[in-house]
Amino acid sequence: MISLLRLILVRHGQTSSNVGHCLDTAEPGADLTELGREQAEALVDTLRSEPVRTMFVSNLVRTQQTAAPLARHFGLEPLVREGLREISAGDLEMANDEESIQTYVRTAVGWSAGNWNARIPGSEENGHDVIRRFDAVVSEAIDSAADGDVPILVSHGAIIRAWTAARCENIGVDFVAHNALSNTGAVVIESSDDRWVVTHWQEQALGGAPFEDPATDGAAADPVR
């Protein structure tokens, strides 16, 4: 394993479920909207100078569609990994009411506060399960990277928030509870001696203001209230 590594974790672009503020976590999930596709295209200008040789996406189509323009730019075939999928909403799937959304985000954020055995109603996964599957993809990205490579993982808002709170030393539960990720927002993390830190938390779309619509970022971007 190399001693120093940067990873870029990118949330997918906007979907119709985000616009409806729905907890859309099942496979295959909604497609990108027109704005979502524009957000995905904007990633090319933002990230073109990064030394990217591997890209990982989840099994939900919105991450694959988000990664497609960037993958074409770099001449890559994104690797689909189920471990990057969104945290299952269980019985709350496609709900868009405030109580359901808060139950979902509070559970995900609460894992790093020590509530590791908590489950979203109807979900088969607890906190240990979710973090473990994301860990596996991060480990694969590390093992496949050469010196200087910056792997990109295109994933989902809630799981990126939950995983960074669990694994990064310089942020915690309170930070991720109140600092979400908009569509195509990104987190840059760095590892040295197996210790992760967040070096950049880009809450809004990487393409900037023309590609942002915070009102329709979806439930996974909601703060804990």
Side-chain angles (χ1 to χ4, degrees):
M1 183 191 304
I2 58 179
S3 59
L4 181 66
L5 181 72
R6 291 172 63 234
L7 296 181
I8 301 176
L9 313 178
V10 180
R11 188 186 176 203
H12 60 81
Q14 186 195 71
T15 71
S16 57
S17 293
N18 293 151
V19 174
H21 226 68
C22 300
L23 290 166
D24 178 6
T25 68
E27 191 177 4
D31 291 328
L32 297 184
T33 61
E34 181 178 350
L35 175 60
R37 294 181 186 278
E38 293 173 356
Q39 291 169 333
E41 292 288 348
L43 292 177
V44 177
D45 284 339
T46 307
L47 298 174
R48 66 168 63 248
S49 63
E50 295 286 351
V52 178
R53 294 179 179 83
T54 53
M55 294 182 66
F56 297 82
V57 297
S58 82
N59 59 328
L60 304 184
V61 294
R62 55 190 180 270
T63 62
Q64 298 163 34
Q65 293 168 345
T66 301
L70 201 57
R72 286 194 296 270
H73 169 73
F74 286 114
L76 299 173
E77 185 68 32
L79 302 172
V80 178
R81 297 294 182 264
E82 190 176 355
L84 296 182
R85 73 185 186 277
E86 185 57 291
I87 299 165
S88 172
D91 293 342
L92 307 180
E93 184 69 17
M94 296 308 293
N96 66 353
D97 62 283
E98 182 69 10
E99 181 179 357
S100 294
I101 291 167
Q102 283 299 304
T103 296
Y104 181 82
V105 295
R106 284 175 185 154
T107 302
V109 169
W111 288 330
S112 291
N115 302 319
W116 290 106
N117 292 321
R119 300 173 188 265
I120 292 157
S123 174
E124 297 181 354
E125 296 184 304
N126 63 23
H128 293 295
D129 300 325
V130 170
I131 300 305
R132 188 180 299 118
R133 62 175 166 84
F134 201 96
D135 279 344
V137 185
V138 170
S139 294
E140 183 180 358
I142 294 170
D143 292 342
S144 63
D147 284 333
D149 288 359
V150 179
I152 292 178
L153 281 61
V154 183
S155 186
H156 304 265
I159 195 168
I160 292 174
R161 292 166 73 186
W163 186 85
T164 52
R167 293 292 185 249
C168 296
E169 293 188 344
N170 60 332
I171 65 168
V173 173
D174 188 64
F175 181 90
V176 299
H178 299 100
N179 293 269
L181 289 174
S182 295
N183 295 122
T184 63
V187 179
V188 180
I189 62 174
E190 188 173 287
S191 173
S192 179
D193 299 323
D194 296 324
R195 299 168 65 187
W196 290 104
V197 295
V198 172
T199 60
H200 187 73
W201 186 283
Q202 174 68 39
E203 182 172 345
Q204 301 301 326
L206 283 179
F211 304 100
E212 296 171 4
D213 187 0
T216 56
D217 279 329
D222 276 13
V224 173
R225 297 184 177 91

